[in-house]
Amino acid sequence: MSHQLEKVKELIQLRQQARLGGGERRIESQHKKGKYTARERIALLLDEGSFEEFDMFVQHRSSNFGIEEETYLGDGVVTGYGTIDGRLVYVYAQDFTVFGGSLSETVSLKICKVMDQAMKMGAPVIGINDSGGARIQEGINALAGYAEIFQRNVLASGVIPQISGIFGPCAGGSVYSPALTDFNIMTKGTSYMFLTGPKVVKSVLGEDVSQEQLGGASIHASKSGVAHFATDSEEEGLMLIRKLLGFMPQNCLEEAPLLACKDPFDRLEDSLNDIIPDQPNKAYDMYEVIGAIVDNGEFLEVHKDYAANIIVGFTRFNGISVGLVANQPKVLAGVLDSNSSRKAARFIRFCDAFNIPIVTLVDVPGFLPGTQQEYGGVILHGAKLLYAYGEATVPKVTVTLRKSYGGAYCVMSSKHLRGDINYAWPSAEIAVMGPAGAIEVLFGKEMAASSDPVAFAAEKESEYKEKFANPYNAAKYGYIDDVIEPRNTRFRIIRALQQLATKKLTNPPKKHDNLPL
């Protein structure tokens, strides 16, 4: 065998060794936990045969506590690029079979290289987390490695889409990278995130809590809002990342892909003409409205289990990728509160950063009252939502279905926050407050002095409803562009989006804004 062939044979052997990560035994242990390996995850995520790997031969450089006696090719993370539906993406996947996926200086350098490349090429970056945290033997170098990654997350924010898959442990400092990215996907039963683990919680607070109760997927998807999605399996999580990217452009200078649409753009939906109940306090399901007007009834909801009084997610109108925001009358009467305001604000800012138009369906009785909300800063959180709508320069189409009262009217993509096209159904009630409350304020004394307060209130309420509980008062001032027949909603939204396709609007030059955090 020639000298060159021997060298080639050596390369092939080294590649095989690198692909085994921490070795067969640890791969088997990963599979027993119901988890895929880093390379298996990448293979499932990317188009078949498209993965090109970087830094397969990198090894750690530490010599503390005898770690120099144990080295692995690739050192705990698999990095590179490939395609999803033919579009370029950069990816890194932490390898739990090598030192528990712990982050060393070289692991950080590998991740940073991929992120830098993604920024230069203007392509999304996907990080798959499955790691025991910082590699203790490397001390400050591991921490420095984390901060280098965080700095890149910050600079990439709003420039390229960043998606995190949490498919195992993600604890301590490592949680901040996913927190800085646009979307977090966790898997039920096998992933968790927390800053301090159950043992520390027990020793500091004396509180007994399991990993799942402290930071499992279901907790973060419903209680904290840290996770945007909680999936039943890794396959489902990886397919979700592929689907999610289909709604996004490659970077902030591009448009999202326009798909061919077989669903007729002028399809009428007669059911919408009587979906609003006669009684103003009766709920209906906003999902029915969404399903009736979007392409093929398909809606990819974000933060489904968190702050369910507002609905956000991606959909299409005649093939156009759109971010949809809608109040949900079935939950807390669709009222706005701290959590729903934050949830919607973050989603709107993502859409605006990546040129995705925003369609808003409004049925909001106001903000949730009470000490709990006020002490929790509902003023600041509500202001975030207002700010997000006010700063957004993408096309904004708003449809008011029923209630739009008080400050919540202003906040929900009103004409005054630069809503481009504002429609209302004939059932819309746009006013400072609901009839009963308004009469209490306006005629409280007269009501108390009246011989028949109930009849007096009923008469005044009827007067108020005639004057304000309709869309025509707002339309009279041009705050509503048109009152539309509910069954035409799909057609009218699509026409509005087509008209707004060439919209150009820029905010005043500044270093950056100072939104109320």
Side-chain angles (χ1 to χ4, degrees):
M1 191 187 286
S2 74
H3 185 59
Q4 189 177 351
L5 279 174
E6 272 180 32
K7 293 282 182 195
V8 170
K9 194 177 170 191
E10 184 191 8
L11 167 66
I12 290 166
Q13 282 169 346
L14 284 171
R15 281 193 186 284
Q16 282 171 340
Q17 187 187 326
R19 287 194 184 104
L20 282 174
E24 299 277 12
R25 194 171 52 81
R26 289 200 178 123
I27 289 172
E28 202 180 309
S29 157
Q30 182 83 341
H31 287 161
K32 273 184 187 159
K33 292 178 199 158
K35 290 158 70 177
Y36 285 110
T37 65
R39 282 193 167 77
E40 287 166 341
R41 287 165 178 161
I42 289 172
L44 281 166
L45 174 68
L46 301 180
D47 296 340
E48 198 175 337
S50 72
F51 183 53
E52 292 285 331
E53 190 171 340
F54 295 152
D55 294 333
M56 196 182 232
F57 306 116
V58 163
Q59 296 178 41
H60 75 74
R61 306 163 186 173
S62 179
S63 55
N64 300 322
F65 301 105
I67 198 173
E68 69 276 8
E69 289 162 32
E70 200 179 347
T71 59
Y72 300 92
L73 295 177
D75 193 35
V77 69
V78 182
T79 61
Y81 67 94
T83 59
I84 288 179
D85 292 329
R87 301 162 75 205
L88 175 68
V89 295
Y90 288 83
V91 62
Y92 68 86
Q94 293 173 332
D95 185 351
F96 199 79
T97 69
V98 176
F99 298 116
S102 59
L103 188 117
S104 65
E105 180 192 10
T106 45
V107 165
S108 160
L109 288 170
K110 284 180 69 170
I111 292 171
C112 289
K113 183 193 276 192
V114 153
M115 294 178 80
D116 290 342
Q117 200 86 337
M119 283 288 275
K120 276 191 285 189
M121 304 312 154
V125 68
I126 300 153
I128 298 173
N129 296 262
D130 186 3
S131 162
R135 197 171 296 171
I136 294 166
Q137 295 92 329
E138 298 214 5
I140 192 69
N141 284 341
L143 299 181
Y146 272 132
E148 291 285 352
I149 295 167
F150 304 156
Q151 180 63 59
R152 282 161 176 80
N153 287 134
V154 170
L155 296 179
S157 183
V159 180
I160 52 173
Q162 302 180 80
I163 298 178
S164 301
I166 318 295
F167 290 171
C170 182
S174 63
V175 296
Y176 282 120
S177 179
L180 292 166
T181 62
D182 299 308
F183 294 100
N184 273 334
I185 292 149
M186 293 183 75
T187 49
K188 293 174 190 169
T190 53
S191 71
Y192 53 83
M193 292 176 82
F194 37 66
L195 273 167
T196 45
K199 285 178 184 168
V200 178
V201 171
K202 173 77 174 162
S203 67
V204 175
L205 299 171
E207 196 181 331
D208 270 312
V209 65
S210 70
Q211 286 184 340
E212 188 62 34
Q213 289 167 323
L214 185 61
S218 300
I219 292 294
H220 284 311
S222 61
K223 279 193 161 53
S224 71
V226 168
H228 298 80
F229 303 94
T231 63
D232 292 322
S233 67
E234 290 188 11
E235 292 100 323
E236 193 189 328
L238 294 162
M239 290 310 110
L240 182 60
I241 294 173
R242 289 180 64 94
K243 195 173 178 185
L244 205 46
L245 283 167
F247 289 100
M248 300 171 194
Q250 289 288 87
N251 55 62
C252 65
L253 299 177
E254 294 184 18
E255 303 286 324
L258 179 67
L259 296 194
C261 175
K262 291 195 175 80
D263 190 353
F265 71 93
D266 55 357
R267 170 170 57 75
L268 296 176
E269 197 63 51
D270 290 329
S271 63
L272 296 181
N273 272 5
D274 62 358
I275 197 169
I276 302 288
D278 293 336
Q279 298 91 337
N281 293 334
K282 203 169 172 213
Y284 61 94
D285 193 346
M286 187 60 81
Y287 288 115
E288 288 181 26
V289 178
I290 296 168
I293 62 176
V294 303
D295 290 357
N296 310 307
E298 287 170 9
F299 177 56
L300 177 56
E301 188 170 1
V302 175
H303 264 145
K304 187 180 197 311
D305 301 320
Y306 178 70
N309 40 325
I310 206 159
I311 298 166
V312 303
F314 295 104
T315 189
R316 287 189 172 85
F317 282 94
N318 203 32
I320 301 166
S321 179
V322 160
L324 189 133
V325 180
N327 307 111
Q328 169 58 300
K330 271 188 84 170
V331 180
L332 294 172
V335 76
L336 284 171
D337 59 3
S338 294
N339 289 348
S340 61
S341 296
R342 287 192 308 123
K343 164 180 161 175
R346 180 84 204 277
F347 179 73
I348 290 160
R349 296 192 95 219
F350 174 83
C351 292
D352 186 49
F354 290 102
N355 313 313
I356 299 169
I358 297 158
V359 170
T360 308
L361 304 179
V362 181
D363 186 349
V364 64
F367 278 88
L368 187 61
T371 53
Q372 199 179 350
Q373 284 294 310
E374 296 295 355
Y375 297 171
V378 68
I379 295 171
L380 283 177
H381 299 305
K384 287 173 191 171
L385 180 53
L386 185 162
Y387 198 107
Y389 271 125
E391 127 191 274
T393 59
V394 291
K396 290 182 285 192
V397 179
T398 308
V399 185
T400 302
L401 280 52
R402 183 166 62 172
K403 296 173 184 172
S404 188
Y405 291 155
Y409 157 75
C410 303
V411 168
M412 290 300 294
S413 198
S414 63
K415 182 59 81 182
H416 328 283
L417 294 179
R418 303 191 300 190
D420 295 300
I421 299 289
N422 290 64
Y423 292 134
W425 284 6
S427 47
E429 303 171 17
I430 302 167
V432 173
M433 57 174 67
I439 298 316
E440 190 74 41
V441 173
L442 294 172
F443 301 104
K445 282 181 184 164
E446 291 90 330
M447 228 155 76
S450 164
S451 56
D452 188 350
V454 177
F456 180 85
E459 184 196 332
K460 291 296 178 192
E461 268 188 49
S462 160
E463 205 179 299
Y464 182 90
K465 276 179 188 167
E466 203 174 311
K467 197 165 176 54
F468 290 122
N470 64 65
Y472 303 106
N473 196 46
K476 182 169 83 178
Y477 294 102
Y479 302 154
I480 292 293
D481 295 303
D482 199 6
V483 180
I484 65 171
E485 206 180 324
R487 69 183 195 143
N488 283 334
T489 304
R490 171 175 167 80
F491 173 69
R492 299 302 295 269
I493 289 173
I494 289 169
R495 289 299 300 272
L497 290 168
Q498 287 170 339
Q499 182 231 150
L500 294 166
T502 54
K503 178 181 176 183
K504 291 277 181 290
L505 177 66
T506 51
N507 289 328
K510 55 180 105 171
K511 186 178 177 187
H512 60 71
D513 52 46
N514 185 21
L515 89 161
L517 288 171

